[in-house]
Amino acid sequence: MGQAYYLAVDIGASSGRHILGHIRDGKMVLEEIYRFENSMDRRDGKLLWDTRRLFAEIVSGMQMCRKKGKIPVNMSIDTWAVDYVLLDGEGQVLGDTYGYRDGRTAGLDKEVYALVPEEELYARTGIQKQSFNTIYQLMAVKKQAPGLLDKAEAFLMLPDYFQFLLTGEKMSEYTNGTSTQLVSPKTKQWDRELIRLLGYPEEMFLPLQTPGTKVGSLKEEIRQQAGFDCEVVMCASHDTASAVMAVPVIGGESAYISSGTWSLMGVELPQAICSRESQKGNFTNEGGYGYRFRYLKNIMGLWMVQSVRHEQKDAYSFAELCRLAEECGGFASVVDVNDGCFLAPESMAGAVQEYCRRTGQPVPFGLGEICRVIYQSLAECYGRTIKELEQNTGKFFDRIQIIGGGANAGYLNQLTADITGKDVYAGPVEATAVGNLMAQMIGAGELKDLSEARQCVFDSFGIEVYRPRCCGK
């Protein structure tokens, strides 16, 4: 019997990748076979996703498997959260596919709260308020294009939509579903009473399925294009849910930061915390693998550094930006990385400068100073957040596990260790793809359960350790 390969299609807000995984000598082996760029398109004043292009990239990566002669037995897709499509009775997309940074939801929180008070909404969903949450996006449709909701027969998050295009089967996955702010943490299904109160069509929401559920085989036309057939299964399709699956087993109490375009800082819990104190701290209770809850806070993350890099025409590597920032170690200005001015500015460098100017701090001018402010501000935010996590959960965390692309940001990792006073463990870098593969391998019986899979991750990937150089703050 030949080697069993599994294909993780991991699509982030700035890039996508196809990673083949298999088990050899008890360790997980990864091979990136395809990578592509991704970004929101600005068209007619809107920020939109080009789902046709993204699906073409998915198929192109599958074709690369055929060329390499490594045919997966299973494949699964994960993406970022909150964005979705509405489908008509023919399976065609209704209207535009908006990106979460589009400003159409401005002020619509008030429309939602007129129907369901803010405190009640948090108490029944446990999801933090963010202006781009799906609940507000759907209110934008209701207010601005109500005819689309009248025609909608299915609501699918983006990974579910892409898997529908692969198989012809419409199914909704649980972890990404929770990011809509429309799911009950008690029933782990859509809060249909809430949906009715908001005036959204209840029938378009399909029952939520768990990671490991089989979606179906490839449609004939996709088999012809890809050159093979395989089973499509659900992973934890919210990319952070997959990434958190890949937090390796070390022992003791650990918080995590899934570090990429966004920094998601939190801890796994068996039950959601929907208290008023948790709401005030803007913590969220997103669904995780095995119905664990990812109790976390969204932090703006490396989006700020990515944006500054793009403004420099990508002339600098991220390692070079870290070096330039480190050389400006005495520059002490700090910004609130979660301020709305950093969500989608015309110029990120200009937004950082204006914030410092507005708050009476020294204004950074060189590229190194601007990056120093961003990295320092991120680490300061991590420091405040870990204290809130400990207070809200009653736990003490002796370390922070950084997973995802930010695990490579050694300068930021060391700042985080210094400011929090915690040991920082960094890795694996491809945590989301690893978690995607873990769900597939557990479902296929290649790995027994999550505990065994996490031990496999620890054994398979190098982990960097950063110790605090001071007592912390």
Side-chain angles (χ1 to χ4, degrees), residues 85-127:
V85 296
L86 301 176
L87 300 181
D88 65 16
E90 302 300 317
Q92 299 301 308
V93 175
L94 292 165
D96 295 313
T97 304
Y98 280 87
Y100 59 85
R101 294 188 191 276
D102 184 84
R104 68 184 176 136
T105 58
L108 290 179
D109 55 341
K110 295 181 178 62
E111 298 287 345
V112 169
Y113 302 148
L115 299 170
V116 183
E118 184 174 2
E119 287 187 26
E120 179 186 337
L121 182 62
Y122 187 86
R124 68 191 298 162
T125 68
I127 299 298

Side-chain angles (χ1 to χ4, degrees), residues 103-115 129 131 133 135-144 198 200:
R104 68 184 176 136
T105 58
L108 290 179
D109 55 341
K110 295 181 178 62
E111 298 287 345
V112 169
Y113 302 148
L115 299 170
K129 177 183 179 180
S131 63
N133 283 355
I135 191 173
Y136 306 115
Q137 293 199 45
L138 289 173
M139 184 57 70
V141 179
K142 180 182 173 182
K143 293 296 181 181
Q144 299 162 14
L198 294 167
Y200 304 155

Side-chain angles (χ1 to χ4, degrees), residues 384-414:
R384 292 191 298 272
T385 302
I386 193 70
K387 291 177 181 177
E388 292 178 286
L389 280 169
E390 290 178 336
Q391 180 177 348
N392 290 356
T393 64
K395 297 175 178 285
F396 176 80
F397 304 106
D398 52 12
R399 70 179 182 279
I400 299 171
Q401 182 78 39
I402 296 182
I403 51 178
N408 279 333
Y411 173 60
L412 176 58
N413 297 341
Q414 187 61 61

Side-chain angles (χ1 to χ4, degrees), residues 51-70:
T51 54
R52 289 186 180 181
R53 182 185 68 80
L54 287 174
F55 187 68
E57 297 283 14
I58 291 170
V59 175
S60 293
M62 295 167 67
Q63 292 169 337
M64 191 60 67
C65 295
R66 173 77 262 177
K67 290 178 182 178
K68 288 182 172 290
K70 297 178 178 180

